[in-house]
Amino acid sequence: MKVNFNRQFKDFRGENLKGENIAHSIAEALFYYGKDKPVNRNEKFRAYCLSQKIIQQDGVVEISTEEASLIKEVCGEALTAGGYGQIHDIIENNK
């Protein structure tokens, strides 16, 4: 599925937040995956490759179901409920 993560996070009122966009936050979370808890080498490498794919394609990427699951898993641990929820909505609803 093709998704566009190149957008700003919104606050609880629906207003754009300043700072990193969603694509950068996902790529950063994937890049640092395994820092705070043990993760096997294969998962670390998958996360690294996906982080680079997102950055190199400027946040507009074709992702597999497995990659979508990895993004949701990693961001579910790394981000707030509001940040994770917006990423989940983008992936699931392809908004």
Side-chain angles (χ1 to χ4, degrees), residues 1-68:
M1 80 183 90
K2 190 168 190 168
V3 293
N4 181 1
F5 294 118
N6 191 15
R7 55 183 81 187
Q8 293 299 118
F9 280 111
K10 297 189 181 299
D11 67 13
F12 66 95
R13 293 183 195 107
E15 298 174 13
N16 284 342
L17 291 171
K18 294 181 175 122
E20 293 290 326
N21 70 17
I22 292 174
H24 291 163
S25 294
I26 293 170
E28 181 179 14
L30 288 163
F31 187 87
Y32 288 110
Y33 187 51
K35 180 181 175 192
D36 296 327
K37 74 172 194 169
V39 177
N40 73 50
R41 292 183 306 225
N42 291 334
E43 287 299 300
K44 283 183 183 183
F45 189 66
R46 282 184 56 223
Y48 166 75
C49 290
L50 187 51
S51 75
Q52 296 306 295
K53 179 178 176 178
I54 291 168
I55 290 299
Q56 291 170 4
Q57 295 181 17
D58 201 27
V60 181
V61 293
E62 183 75 31
I63 58 172
S64 67
T65 302
E66 293 80 17
E67 289 171 324

